[in-house]
Every structure is written in structure tokens, then in C-alpha cells.
Amino acid sequence: MEIILKTGPREIENKIEIEKFCTIEDIVKGIQEKLPYTILVARVDNEIIELTQEITDSCKIELLDMRNPSANMIYQNSLILIYLKAVKDVLGMFL
């Protein structure tokens, strides 16, 4: 199956072949060493989805890292949830 992959904000789109039901995480693992930042999330046909999502049809995938405002906000929200969990574990309550 052919998809269009964009790896960064100023990168050129590339057509690549992948197997059907391949996850975005599998694609990222193959190219992560070439990328300057860790991929946090992906935009598939202009919809933000997690990396564990399987690709079933031809589509356009844009890999998002900390340079993207949407991915940065997702990262910040994750940190907030981890912090709240730690506070609950230590103090037994939410402040």
C-alpha cells in the first residue's frame, strides 16, 4: 500500500510503500535515527491520532514532534497528568 509521508515541518513529502495494518509506530521505528526529535503523534489525513493506530488505506501521514504546537500541547498535558498522579500517590489526595 502506498502512503505519502512527511517527517517534519519543512520536509518534502515522500511516497513510501508499507504493509496493510502496519502501525505508525512501526514506520517511525524505521526512520527515527534520521529525525532530529522524537515523534510524539501523527496527523493522518488532517486528523491527529496516536502512534499505535493501524494504517488500513492509502493516506497522507505527517509525523509531529515538539516543534508542532499540537504535539507540544499533547506532551504538556501528559506531563500534567503524570504530576497529578504523583501528587495523589504521595499525598493521597489532589490539591
Side-chain angles (χ1 to χ4, degrees):
M1 172 174 52
E2 187 176 279
I3 63 167
I4 298 172
L5 180 67
K6 186 174 179 182
T7 58
R10 294 187 176 126
E11 299 293 325
I12 298 171
E13 297 175 347
N14 297 316
K15 290 184 181 181
I16 62 169
E17 285 287 328
I18 62 167
E19 296 179 15
K20 196 169 186 173
F21 300 111
C22 175
T23 64
I24 298 172
E25 188 175 31
D26 295 334
I27 297 169
V28 171
K29 284 179 185 176
I31 61 171
Q32 183 64 57
E33 65 276 352
K34 298 175 188 173
L35 301 175
Y37 300 100
T38 302
I39 301 301
L40 302 173
V41 71
R43 184 179 291 139
V44 178
D45 291 334
N46 288 328
E47 181 180 343
I48 293 182
I49 62 170
E50 60 188 49
L51 299 179
T52 57
Q53 182 75 32
E54 292 181 343
I55 305 300
T56 56
D57 297 319
S58 295
C59 58
K60 179 180 176 181
I61 299 175
E62 183 180 356
L63 302 176
L64 306 177
D65 55 29
M66 291 295 287
R67 297 175 287 180
N68 181 279
S70 298
N72 195 347
M73 188 62 80
I74 291 168
Y75 181 75
Q76 288 177 25
N77 288 337
S78 298
L79 288 179
I80 290 168
L81 291 175
I82 291 169
Y83 174 75
L84 290 174
K85 172 75 169 114
V87 168
K88 182 179 181 204
D89 290 349
V90 172
L91 302 177
M93 63 179 179
F94 286 111
L95 297 176

